[in-house]
Amino acid sequence: MAHHTAPAPTAAQASRLQAPRNRPPRPRPTLGRILAWTAMVIILIVTLFPFYWILRTALSSNGALYANSQSLLPTEFSWGGFERVFGLQTTEEAIAQGGSGASIDFWRYLLNSIAVATGITACQVFFSAMAAYAFSRLRWAGRNHVFSVFLLSLMVPQIFTLLPNFLLIREMGLIDTLLGIMLPSLFMTPFAIFFLRQFFMNVAVEVEEAALIDGASKVRVFFVLIIPLSVGPIATISILTYITAWNDYFWPLMVSYTDESRVLTVALGNFNEQSPQTGPDWAGLMAATLVAALPMLVLFLAFAKRIVNSIGFSGIK
Amino acid sequence: MANAPVASPPRRRRRDDRRLALIFLLPATIGLVVFYFWPLVRGIALSFTSWDILTPAQFIGLDNYTRMVSDPVFWNAVRVTLLYVVINIGVQTVVALLIAVLMQRLSQSTLLRSLVLTPYLVSNVVAALVFLWILDFQLGIGNQVLAWLGLDRVGFFTSEAWVIPTIALVNVWRHMGYTALLIFAGLQTIPHSVYEAAKVDGASEVRTFFSITVPLLRPILGLVLIISVIGSFQVFDTVAVTTNGGPVDASRVLQLYIYNNAFGQFDFGYASALSVALLVVLVLVTFVQYRITRAGQTDLN
């Protein structure tokens, strides 16, 4: 690779002389660059192929998958998988096509997931913002010490809090309720506080002082000044929180026992277990997988740029 | 100076906001105390008891810990978990570093970075199910490809030798883009001038990478490593969905063993002791890593 890239400085300088525009010149396609792009394309294929395979399988009919597993296109196009997921098939139809025939209430799980993720995100971000405000813009003795205590809790691994938290939720009589799933992450995460504090600290003092001189209270400053000025960071942390809450599996698995509080991830795990062991309902499973993953993919599509650009910042996570 | 009669605004600003701060911190503090610190204390306390939830907990001293030391399934879980962590972190770090460097050198486009991140958006359950299907022994396209290449089919989730590497690689797939973006952010902090100086000196790409990029990236790399190691020690979802610990105990990671003890055997005391063990391991690993990578320091300046 060395001898291909060595002459690059002179080539780049030469073409920069010819191109008066500010844009960097297009690099020459050296062997190194070709290899690098090849590697990148392979990585992208590995990254994206499973998504295509979900779609291809979900749109196939289950029986045909067994007969023709090598086809790269859907085999015997069918909506059957989705129909089983949404409970649109009769038990006989479902079993005939490889489903378990067990009743599945997918809309219920979807609603539960939405409720849990929305509840967690709204409360957690709001409460964390309040704490971040106290840590960044209010003056009080011991502020930094208390903040260190909050930061310290970043070190507590999730596994350790799960069992005692389960016992607590149980003692509160909240097992198998949506509130029970939400409660532990409802009040804050150290990371959200840390993330928002960082931005609140950057709001100019002058703006705040002007408002205070005009007679605004600090509470008012929080609501009409700090929050509106930090819409961007608040949106970012909200989306990240939503995705995390939506994808959580272990905690909801511990807390929920019935359809009452079952969220999509847990339902998906169950759906897999109910699928016949001898000939799993792959079309149905992949349709369910797609339904569970799609909302987050769409959310990402809408906010990709914001999320991607904020990840460097969250490196301190 | 402090007594100077300047005007009211500065004095007003200096006023102590303690009361308001208390109110603003109340919800977060409830969360911190009830769901972080209290569980920590309670978990450690529980580890010295024998408790099945139904009858009152009994103090049994160190019995859970002596039992743990002579429990072959525990030691197997430790071994399996370590194997998982080493494969997962090893492969993930190398691949993520490669992706990050490629992105920096080839294209800074947001689209490319978004595409690389997509697996991170799906849950572990989804990732597990997709690969369960792709790597199915008979019908999985992965095994079809092996067959086309004239290789033997592999029971990725059913063979004792393959199951942990497979689960580790599934999680590499889900996390490599995220890790790559973290490293990419670190790469952006390296001043361009350093590279240009190297170029002027006639350093090759490979040499530049190993004697400039990697050393200057060390603090970020150290932090990224600590985060991913802590995360990967807590592997559960993928195992629970794909193999549930099998074949035999080949994929019974610590986290799953804790879950089995708590919710399978209703042995919450022992499960808590196992969590304490995992906590101790995590603290040790973090400490050692922090020292080795000197994650807090930077070579820039």
Side-chain angles (χ1 to χ4, degrees):
Chain A
M1 212 152 127
H3 50 282
H4 289 287
T5 43
T10 40
Q13 277 157 10
S15 56
R16 198 171 298 155
L17 288 174
Q18 288 158 4
R21 273 174 303 165
N22 247 345
R23 290 180 69 197
R26 211 186 171 80
R28 265 183 340 135
T30 59
L31 183 62
R33 286 190 72 82
I34 293 171
L35 281 176
W37 270 113
T38 314
M40 197 70 226
V41 168
I42 292 174
I43 287 166
L44 280 179
I45 292 175
V46 171
T47 302
L48 299 176
F49 178 78
F51 291 102
Y52 171 71
W53 211 238
I54 295 176
L55 187 67
R56 171 262 182 197
T57 310
L59 293 175
S60 301
S61 71
N62 204 42
L65 283 175
Y66 286 82
N68 189 2
S69 57
Q70 310 188 8
S71 160
L72 290 177
L73 292 172
T75 58
E76 277 182 34
F77 182 90
S78 150
W79 294 107
F82 288 97
E83 286 167 4
R84 285 193 291 292
V85 168
F86 293 125
L88 298 175
Q89 282 182 342
T90 62
T91 314
E92 294 76 32
E93 275 175 337
I95 291 174
Q97 294 190 14
S100 69
S103 74
I104 28 173
D105 198 350
F106 231 87
W107 296 112
R108 183 70 193 258
Y109 312 142
L110 187 74
L111 274 180
N112 283 344
S113 273
I114 292 173
V116 165
T118 309
I120 288 179
T121 305
C123 294
Q124 190 195 97
V125 172
F126 182 65
F127 291 147
S128 298
M130 281 171 63
Y133 181 63
F135 282 128
S136 59
R137 312 223 51 121
L138 297 180
R139 286 150 188 281
W140 43 287
R143 187 171 84 165
N144 291 337
H145 293 293
V146 177
F147 183 61
S148 318
V149 174
F150 271 85
L151 274 192
L152 210 65
S153 57
L154 270 175
M155 311 281 167
V156 181
Q158 200 206 9
I159 167 64
F160 203 78
T161 53
L162 283 175
L163 278 189
N165 274 344
F166 166 78
L167 299 171
L168 186 66
I169 292 297
R170 184 174 164 275
E171 281 150 10
M172 294 167 100
L174 292 176
I175 289 296
D176 207 22
T177 64
L178 293 179
L179 185 62
I181 298 179
M182 291 191 275
L183 209 52
S185 28
L186 215 52
F187 295 95
M188 64 123 201
T189 62
F191 177 67
I193 296 179
F194 178 79
F195 184 92
L196 291 172
R197 174 177 169 268
Q198 216 59 11
F199 290 100
F200 292 175
M201 281 198 308
N202 289 335
V203 175
V205 185
E206 292 76 24
V207 187
E208 188 183 351
E209 267 175 7
L212 289 174
I213 291 171
D214 287 350
S217 65
K218 291 254 179 172
V219 179
R220 216 179 128 76
V221 167
F222 175 63
F223 282 103
V224 301
L225 205 70
I226 303 287
I227 290 190
L229 281 176
S230 311
V231 163
I234 290 176
T236 304
I237 192 76
S238 301
I239 297 158
L240 289 175
T241 309
Y242 204 90
I243 292 173
T244 311
W246 184 275
N247 285 340
D248 197 13
Y249 174 71
F250 199 177
W251 175 251
L253 175 73
M254 288 166 89
V255 177
S256 80
Y257 290 101
T258 65
D259 281 358
E260 201 72 23
S261 69
R262 190 162 291 152
V263 293
L264 267 181
T265 46
V266 177
L268 204 54
N270 265 23
F271 196 48
N272 176 37
E273 275 166 26
Q274 285 170 358
S275 181
Q277 284 302 309
T278 43
D281 175 14
W282 288 116
L285 272 169
M286 288 303 113
T289 306
L290 190 62
V291 173
L294 205 58
M296 291 311 101
L297 291 172
V298 171
L299 190 69
F300 180 63
L301 210 64
F303 296 99
K305 198 163 187 168
R306 181 176 286 289
I307 298 173
V308 164
N309 286 328
S310 73
I311 280 189
F313 180 84
S314 64
I316 317 108
K317 188 169 183 173
Chain B
M1 191 72 180
N3 292 329
V6 183
S8 51
R11 183 169 301 157
R12 176 173 194 148
R13 191 154 56 83
R14 217 175 294 121
R15 219 182 51 192
D16 197 356
D17 298 317
R18 189 181 309 165
R19 243 177 45 125
L20 191 60
L22 248 147
I23 298 170
F24 266 68
L25 275 178
L26 190 66
T29 309
I30 293 176
L32 181 75
V33 173
V34 178
F35 296 108
Y36 281 81
F37 287 161
W38 170 239
L40 200 65
V41 174
R42 192 175 186 187
I44 294 172
L46 276 177
S47 74
F48 299 109
T49 66
S50 162
W51 192 34
D52 61 0
I53 284 200
L54 300 174
T55 50
Q58 278 188 326
F59 181 78
I60 54 165
L62 289 172
D63 282 11
N64 283 326
Y65 290 95
T66 48
R67 173 179 162 196
M68 187 158 59
V69 173
S70 55
D71 177 357
V73 188
F74 165 70
W75 288 110
N76 177 66
V78 171
R79 194 185 58 81
V80 168
T81 309
L82 282 176
L83 181 66
Y84 167 84
V85 171
V86 169
I87 298 175
N88 179 257
I89 297 297
V91 178
Q92 180 174 296
T93 311
V94 173
V95 175
L97 193 57
L98 176 73
I99 298 176
V101 171
L102 286 177
M103 284 195 302
Q104 205 208 9
R105 301 307 302 275
L106 294 178
S107 160
Q108 308 259 343
S109 94
T110 316
L111 176 69
L112 188 64
R113 279 183 283 158
S114 308
L115 288 179
V116 169
L117 191 66
T118 39
Y120 184 72
L121 303 167
V122 304
S123 62
N124 283 321
V125 182
V126 166
L129 286 175
V130 178
F131 279 95
L132 200 58
W133 167 225
I134 288 181
L135 299 175
D136 184 78
F137 188 77
Q138 270 307 322
L139 301 170
I141 188 74
N143 263 318
Q144 299 285 355
V145 171
L146 287 184
W148 289 332
L149 294 174
L151 298 168
D152 284 339
R153 285 169 184 274
V154 175
F156 287 99
F157 289 103
T158 49
S159 104
E160 287 188 36
W162 276 101
V163 66
I164 281 294
T166 303
I167 291 169
L169 292 180
V170 170
N171 285 326
V172 168
W173 174 77
R174 193 169 108 78
H175 290 279
M176 63 186 184
Y178 187 80
T179 313
L181 283 185
L182 293 180
I183 300 176
F184 177 80
L187 285 174
Q188 304 295 86
T189 66
I190 301 177
H192 210 68
S193 54
V194 187
Y195 285 111
E196 283 183 348
K199 232 173 194 177
V200 171
D201 288 348
S204 68
E205 289 270 344
V206 178
R207 216 197 123 113
T208 310
F209 176 75
F210 282 105
S211 32
I212 294 185
T213 309
V214 173
L216 286 182
L217 209 53
R218 202 203 54 223
I220 301 268
L221 222 47
L223 277 180
V224 169
L225 267 178
I226 291 176
I227 302 163
S228 3
V229 168
I230 293 180
S232 74
F233 260 105
Q234 305 187 51
V235 54
F236 174 83
D237 304 359
T238 325
V239 183
V241 172
T242 53
T243 64
N244 206 13
V248 199
D249 281 334
S251 63
R252 197 167 306 280
V253 289
L254 261 174
Q255 183 99 271
L256 185 66
Y257 192 44
I258 293 171
Y259 179 81
N260 294 152
N261 271 289
F263 295 93
Q265 322 290 325
F266 293 104
D267 196 343
F268 277 80
Y270 192 48
S272 300
L274 292 167
S275 323
V276 174
L278 186 52
L279 179 70
V280 171
V281 172
L282 279 178
V283 170
L284 277 179
V285 169
T286 311
F287 181 73
V288 170
Q289 262 194 320
Y290 199 80
R291 291 302 291 270
I292 291 178
T293 56
R294 286 170 292 151
Q297 301 161 26
T298 171
D299 286 344
L300 284 173
N301 313 307

